[in-house]
Amino acid sequence: MDKFIGKRLDGKYEIHNLVGMGGMAYVYRAYDRVEDRWVAIKILKEEFSDNSDFLRRFRNEAKAITLLSHPNIVEVYDVSFGDRLQYIVMEYIDGITLKQYIEQEGVIRWDEAVHFTIQILLALEHAHEKGIIHRDIKPQNVMLLQNGTIKVTDFGIARFSQSETQTMTDKAIGSVHYIAPEQARGDYITNKADIYSVGVMLYEMLTGQLPFVADSAVSVALMQLQAKPVMPRELNPNLARGLEQITMKAMEKNPVDRFQSAGEMLDDIDQFRRNPGMVFHYDMQPIRSNYEASRNMESYDSARFKPSYNDSYEYEEEYVRSQRGARGAMAVKGVIAAAIIIALAVGAVWLLNNWKDLTEPKKDEQLELPNFVGQLYDDVLANPEYSENFKFKRTEGNDPDLQPGQIMQQTPNHGILVKKGAEIELLVNGKVEQVEVPSLTNYSQADAIAVLKEMNLKFKAETVADDEIEFGKVVTTDPQAGTLVDVGSTVTVKVSKGPATKKVRVPDGLEGKSRYDVIARLEEAKLKVGNVMQDDNSTLGKDIVVSTNPAAGSEVSEGATVDIVVSSGKNSTKTVSKDIALPDGVDMDLSLKVYRNGTVVEEKTVNPAYAGSYTLSFTGTSGQETVVVKLNDQDYMYLSFNFDTQEATITQTLGFTPPSGGDNNPSSSEDEDSSGGNTGDEGNNGGNEGYVQPSGD
């Protein structure tokens, strides 16, 4: 038996079971008795406890991840580096790896792949802004929750971009199927290595295949350096051209040809998501060929800035040839002049004969038909390039997997030459019909399935123990009765298998706990979760359990279902905070006043030279509130606090001008420049928006 299971670390982390194992550590599910929550604990394997390299990597992961705070990055609660035991305490993620999901699904729908990629890029954008490069981005290190949320994990070989103490072996580690060429070669690594890895993951999601596969890791690494992958649309013909372009740009072998940041890639993905039929105008081929010819870091800059053409090349070459034949140049010159005169005369005659055709539009102008499939019908109609050249005939279709208004098919197909003004028939996805899940309690399984079939709903059956509903009859459904679902959705029918011979009690103390903690407690007690309903009137936070049915302490059959009522959070009290920057170059005490909805709520004395920022923090339940910050009774900044989204934004920054003659620099008051107090922000609305005070890292 595992020696850690059943033990309690540091008197608070009770280890329950092993959930994963990597090259250097075990991961356990544990219960934090102090904070009353489930956590994941990553424990370094004993055989590596004396290995300085593995210790460094393990502690580096803890250092890197504790600097990060983002909803798409696994959160760290605690670390411990004792003499005998090294472990990291993280949030417990109840889900599967993205790799498992890809293996399960094969080719992933493009919109779902884009949804996952956006979250990964948002996580990397945050890490890169903190100076951290992950260096091991792969689907095995990405967790997928049941609600579609992505969590990036395993910063074990992450590097701080400002670090200069790296070894060659330190640079090249990572999973060979996903590492960038420069990483495989052992060159200097930048954040663009993570971009390449994201491109490989996107390629794998869209095609169901890795771009490079070979018998050995060395062979794969060589392919990363030299080989070109099969174009994604050759493997998945339904893939949009624009998404293929984004994927291949992220996978460019030369870092300077890739997206220069996660934010840049996010921008293009957002453009594509809004218009799936768009095509990007990336000009990467000349640089790619130069890079493949040299394949070394010295070629990066020369390839980046080498022009793809040379206006003087042909003239220079002709000049060299003419110098070589200088003796015959004079004899040829007269012939060339005569030829030019004849050509000009012929051209003039042709121009006169064809002037009318050149100046008048052709009546039967031929146009190549664009690809409308995947675009939104309204966007196509709003595009003058389309609406002025074609007439559209709309027919309705229905596909629950596509968004309403998305074009499913076109006739004729794209790429065909048609006359200007030709009629194009578009099959457009109609609004997905929704139906209400019926109440099927006490129906037989066969009758319940028949009802669902009549409503065009899919189904699956699951047996549960129940003390009241007789064997073979429906206890409940998931989603629960009364829920609106799309036609074609799957409804789980939970059928009674009668009372269980073994009885258990519904755990005590579930009220006031998070929904996920309660689900874990119920599953640990060998009970199943039934319907989860929301209470809009509760003052508890979002997803905090209000009550259960049966109630805590009730004796029920093992495997019975327990319904949960959770707070929607709409009526809960929320705290929203925002750090604001104080004016630069001001070394004097200032009177700071904070107005909330017109009323002074804070009054402090601050000196920007000693405190570069000030934290505003307010509580509320819902709606937006306006906050004004004044310095020495000058309006300095306007903010909006939104308690529905729990966000605060700076709407305007007015800047601050110290009083004339004021002592802005006590140590050298005679040299004071009265204009020096101007922060340069006057008239620059939102100039300090996005400023975040360093957290001491």
Side-chain angles (χ1 to χ4, degrees):
M1 182 176 175
D2 191 301
K3 71 174 186 177
F4 289 114
I5 294 177
K7 298 294 178 64
R8 187 177 293 185
L9 301 182
D10 290 341
K12 62 184 294 191
Y13 302 117
E14 187 178 275
I15 296 180
H16 282 243
N17 57 287
L18 181 69
V19 295
M21 180 173 62
M24 67 175 181
Y26 298 103
V27 181
Y28 295 88
R29 186 173 74 115
Y31 191 71
D32 184 344
R33 290 293 177 187
V34 175
E35 298 294 335
D36 194 19
R37 63 188 175 194
W38 288 99
V39 297
I41 298 186
K42 190 171 189 176
I43 301 178
L44 183 68
K45 292 180 179 179
E46 282 186 291
E47 57 262 38
F48 301 132
S49 59
D50 295 325
N51 186 308
S52 60
D53 183 54
F54 279 97
L55 278 172
R56 176 190 56 77
R57 287 174 58 186
F58 194 74
R59 293 178 178 180
N60 191 51
E61 175 175 12
K63 179 182 177 183
I65 205 168
T66 50
L67 294 177
L68 305 175
S69 178
H70 192 276
N72 295 120
I73 298 177
V74 64
E75 185 176 358
V76 167
Y77 299 134
D78 193 8
V79 294
S80 178
F81 298 134
D83 295 333
R84 293 184 301 172
L85 197 63
Q86 318 264 333
Y87 65 82
I88 304 171
V89 182
M90 301 174 286
E91 65 173 312
Y92 177 70
I93 301 172
D94 185 12
I96 62 175
T97 67
L98 182 56
K99 185 67 172 180
Q100 291 171 317
Y101 187 70
I102 294 171
E103 291 172 346
Q104 170 186 313
E105 297 293 320
V107 177
I108 295 177
R109 292 199 330 263
W110 74 264
D111 54 339
E112 195 172 26
V114 164
H115 176 65
F116 296 156
T117 303
I118 287 172
Q119 295 182 74
I120 295 167
L121 287 170
L122 288 171
L124 289 176
E125 184 178 43
H126 176 74
H128 294 166
E129 286 174 351
K130 294 288 186 179
I132 296 171
I133 305 167
H134 191 287
R135 300 202 302 163
D136 198 15
I137 288 294
K138 57 185 178 181
Q140 294 90 330
N141 287 339
V142 176
M143 294 298 296
L144 174 59
L145 280 65
Q146 292 182 359
N147 63 1
T149 299
I150 285 291
K151 293 277 187 177
V152 176
T153 68
D154 203 343
F155 283 74
I157 64 170
R159 180 175 70 78
F160 294 86
S161 58
Q162 68 269 23
S163 172
E164 296 179 357
T165 57
Q166 308 163 74
T167 64
M168 186 65 69
T169 55
D170 183 31
K171 296 175 189 174
I173 50 182
S175 297
V176 70
H177 289 97
Y178 301 92
I179 60 173
E182 65 270 24
Q183 195 171 356
R185 190 184 300 106
D187 288 338
Y188 185 80
I189 303 299
T190 68
N191 61 338
K192 298 173 194 64
D194 286 345
I195 301 297
Y196 183 93
S197 301
V198 173
V200 176
M201 284 200 301
L202 183 55
Y203 184 104
E204 185 179 10
M205 286 189 282
L206 296 173
T207 66
Q209 299 181 30
L210 285 163
F212 303 119
V213 179
D215 294 334
S216 68
V218 173
S219 298
V220 175
L222 288 173
M223 294 173 77
Q224 296 281 23
L225 292 169
Q226 301 170 0
K228 293 181 181 179
V230 176
M231 294 299 285
R233 292 211 299 173
E234 292 183 33
L235 302 172
N236 180 3
N238 296 322
L239 186 62
R241 172 67 176 143
L243 192 52
E244 179 185 60
Q245 289 179 299
I246 290 173
T247 304
M248 299 310 292
K249 182 173 174 66
M251 289 176 58
E252 279 292 330
K253 296 192 183 297
N254 187 343
V256 298
D257 297 338
R258 293 176 209 148
F259 295 103
Q260 297 303 290
S261 67
E264 186 177 312
M265 188 172 177
L266 279 167
D267 289 342
D268 280 11
I269 287 179
D270 186 59
Q271 287 187 57
F272 170 78
R273 186 178 57 81
R274 295 173 185 273
N275 180 11
M278 76 176 302
V279 175
F280 295 92
H281 299 288
Y282 301 139
D283 184 15
M284 301 174 290
Q285 186 59 38
I287 299 177
R288 184 186 304 163
S289 59
N290 289 339
Y291 176 80
E292 289 171 351
S294 54
R295 294 203 302 273
N296 57 63
M297 284 303 293
E298 287 75 19
S299 71
Y300 286 178
D301 290 336
S302 62
R304 180 65 171 169
F305 299 108
K306 181 178 179 181
S308 59
Y309 63 92
N310 186 341
D311 284 339
S312 62
Y313 175 79
E314 293 181 358
Y315 302 106
E316 291 170 355
E317 187 176 39
E318 181 63 32
Y319 175 76
V320 172
R321 285 200 299 267
S322 67
Q323 291 301 305
R324 288 178 178 175
R327 294 179 181 269
M330 295 301 293
V332 174
K333 188 178 295 184
V335 176
I336 294 175
I340 292 173
I341 293 170
I342 293 170
L344 290 173
V346 171
V349 173
W350 182 89
L351 188 62
L352 288 171
N353 291 334
N354 293 277
W355 180 255
K356 186 175 182 180
D357 291 337
L358 291 173
T359 55
E360 293 183 2
K362 295 180 180 180
K363 294 181 179 179
D364 296 330
E365 186 177 348
Q366 297 283 302
L367 299 173
E368 182 177 329
L369 193 59
N371 184 11
F372 299 116
V373 176
Q375 299 190 52
L376 295 178
Y377 181 73
D378 289 342
D379 291 345
V380 170
L381 292 185
N383 189 333
E385 182 182 348
Y386 299 152
S387 59
E388 293 175 4
N389 291 322
F390 308 105
K391 295 179 181 178
F392 296 107
K393 179 183 177 182
R394 172 173 177 157
T395 56
E396 292 286 339
N398 193 291
D399 186 341
D401 293 331
L402 300 178
Q403 59 179 313
Q406 189 169 346
I407 297 170
M408 305 162 60
Q409 184 180 323
Q410 69 182 71
T411 306
N413 290 327
H414 72 91
I416 294 176
L417 290 175
V418 297
K419 292 181 180 180
K420 183 175 181 179
E423 183 177 87
I424 313 300
E425 184 175 341
L426 301 178
L427 180 64
V428 181
N429 192 36
K431 185 176 181 181
V432 179
E433 183 183 354
Q434 289 194 314
V435 293
E436 187 177 292
V437 177
S439 176
L440 300 174
T441 302
N442 279 318
Y443 277 60
S444 69
Q445 179 175 331
D447 289 344
I449 290 174
V451 171
L452 294 175
K453 281 185 175 180
E454 287 181 7
M455 302 178 70
N456 293 321
L457 293 171
K458 299 175 184 177
F459 61 87
K460 66 178 181 178
E462 178 184 303
T463 58
V464 295
D466 195 273
D467 297 332
E468 298 178 0
I469 305 296
E470 66 178 277
F471 178 86
K473 297 293 182 70
V474 176
V475 178
T476 186
T477 58
D478 182 19
Q480 67 197 57
T483 305
L484 285 174
V485 296
D486 293 341
V487 169
S489 300
T490 299
V491 175
T492 300
V493 179
K494 299 185 178 183
V495 182
S496 173
K497 59 182 179 181
T501 55
K502 187 176 181 180
K503 299 288 185 179
V504 296
R505 288 186 178 275
V506 178
D508 292 320
L510 300 181
E511 292 82 1
K513 306 301 182 198
S514 79
R515 168 183 177 176
Y516 304 103
D517 286 347
V518 169
I519 290 173
R521 292 277 300 278
L522 291 174
E523 290 175 347
E524 192 176 51
K526 300 188 183 310
L527 296 169
K528 294 189 176 181
V529 177
N531 296 322
V532 179
M533 296 156 283
Q534 290 198 335
D535 182 354
D536 291 340
N537 297 319
S538 172
T539 58
L540 296 175
K542 181 177 173 58
D543 281 337
I544 301 299
V545 173
V546 178
S547 63
T548 62
N549 183 30
S554 302
E555 187 178 76
V556 295
S557 295
E558 183 179 276
T561 59
V562 177
D563 295 333
I564 301 175
V565 178
V566 300
S567 171
S568 67
K570 293 181 179 179
N571 202 31
S572 64
T573 300
K574 311 169 190 81
T575 299
V576 180
S577 301
K578 181 72 174 179
D579 288 336
I580 63 170
L582 295 177
D584 292 333
V586 178
D587 186 4
M588 60 187 300
D589 288 344
L590 304 176
S591 169
L592 181 145
K593 292 181 182 179
V594 180
Y595 293 77
R596 182 180 182 183
N597 294 332
T599 303
V600 177
V601 292
E602 293 182 33
E603 195 166 355
K604 302 280 185 181
T605 298
V606 297
N607 190 321
Y610 297 100
S613 65
Y614 186 80
T615 301
L616 301 172
S617 186
F618 300 109
T619 58
T621 56
S622 61
Q624 295 188 51
E625 295 187 6
T626 300
V627 172
V628 178
V629 178
K630 292 191 176 187
L631 295 177
N632 284 8
D633 291 326
Q634 298 179 36
D635 285 1
Y636 174 64
M637 189 177 292
Y638 300 151
L639 302 96
S640 175
F641 280 70
N642 190 322
F643 294 100
D644 294 322
T645 62
Q646 298 185 52
E647 294 179 341
T649 56
I650 298 171
T651 57
Q652 189 175 6
T653 300
L654 302 174
F656 172 74
T657 303
S660 59
D663 189 6
N664 193 31
N665 189 348
S667 63
S668 57
S669 58
E670 293 180 359
D671 297 328
E672 178 184 4
D673 180 359
S674 62
S675 65
N678 192 316
T679 65
D681 288 335
E682 287 78 7
N684 181 15
N685 295 352
N688 289 331
E689 189 166 0
Y691 174 89
V692 179
Q693 180 186 4
S695 57
D697 44 307

